Amino acid sequence: MPSPSARAAEQVEAELKRFNAKLAAYVKAFEADTLQTSVRTAFEVEGRLKERTPVDTGRARASWHVVLPGQSDSYTYSDNRGRSFDGTLSEAAGPWEALVGSNVRYMLPLEAGHSQQAPQGMVRVTLREMRDEMRTAIKAGVPMRLP
């Protein structure tokens, strides 16, 4: 029969194994939640940018797109006149990020207020809005979920 100190050591070892298993599961769930949040946020930003982007031929609006985590980009789109364009961004998304972008050269003048349809721009307004929503969510507290 094991001594009391040996039994206590076995109990501590068993508890540590259970704790480490729960911790590993929590980390895995956290990683999955982080990726899902990144992707959901990117698609939300893309949608808001498209809503705010001025339309003449539709090229600028159609050019906004998301590059998923760990992916390189290959994107073709068409304007309202049926002309096709290569919208591929020059950068790939990192393993923990989703990118939202456009390679339309005149997007910067549009963002600077060149169009009367969006005198405040699109990106600044959207990012400010998203920042405020994230701050509110953080202040409200995000519950820690353990598996």
Side-chain angles (χ1 to χ4, degrees):
M1 176 165 236
S3 70
S5 62
R7 280 194 308 267
E10 288 173 3
Q11 288 176 338
V12 168
E13 186 176 348
E15 286 180 37
L16 278 172
K17 283 183 180 180
R18 284 192 301 274
F19 173 79
N20 285 335
K22 285 185 177 184
L23 182 60
Y26 174 74
V27 167
K28 195 171 261 189
F30 179 78
E31 289 173 350
D33 284 350
T34 300
L35 280 174
Q36 288 174 359
T37 300
S38 176
V39 170
R40 276 195 316 265
T41 301
F43 280 110
E44 179 65 25
V45 168
E46 177 201 31
R48 292 181 190 195
L49 289 172
K50 284 185 175 192
E51 286 176 12
R52 290 186 168 110
T53 300
V55 176
D56 179 17
T57 66
R59 180 179 179 192
R61 181 175 283 180
S63 73
W64 290 115
H65 66 285
V66 172
V67 182
L68 296 172
Q71 301 289 312
S72 58
D73 190 27
S74 177
Y75 183 71
T76 304
Y77 63 95
S78 299
D79 66 8
N80 295 345
R81 297 176 183 160
R83 296 177 295 183
S84 292
F85 300 93
D86 176 11
T88 303
L89 301 177
S90 59
E91 62 221 87
W96 293 97
E97 66 183 353
L99 300 177
V100 180
S102 166
N103 71 352
V104 170
R105 289 187 303 228
Y106 59 86
M107 195 63 80
L108 287 176
L110 288 178
E111 176 62 22
H114 178 73
S115 171
Q116 293 301 315
Q117 294 178 46
Q120 301 300 315
M122 307 83 58
V123 177
R124 288 173 294 173
V125 173
T126 299
L127 294 182
R128 195 174 317 122
E129 196 175 81
M130 293 299 293
R131 179 200 64 207
D132 293 346
E133 289 174 22
M134 286 181 193
R135 283 181 178 165
T136 300
I138 290 168
K139 285 180 184 175
V142 178
M144 192 164 126
R145 293 186 348 231
L146 294 174

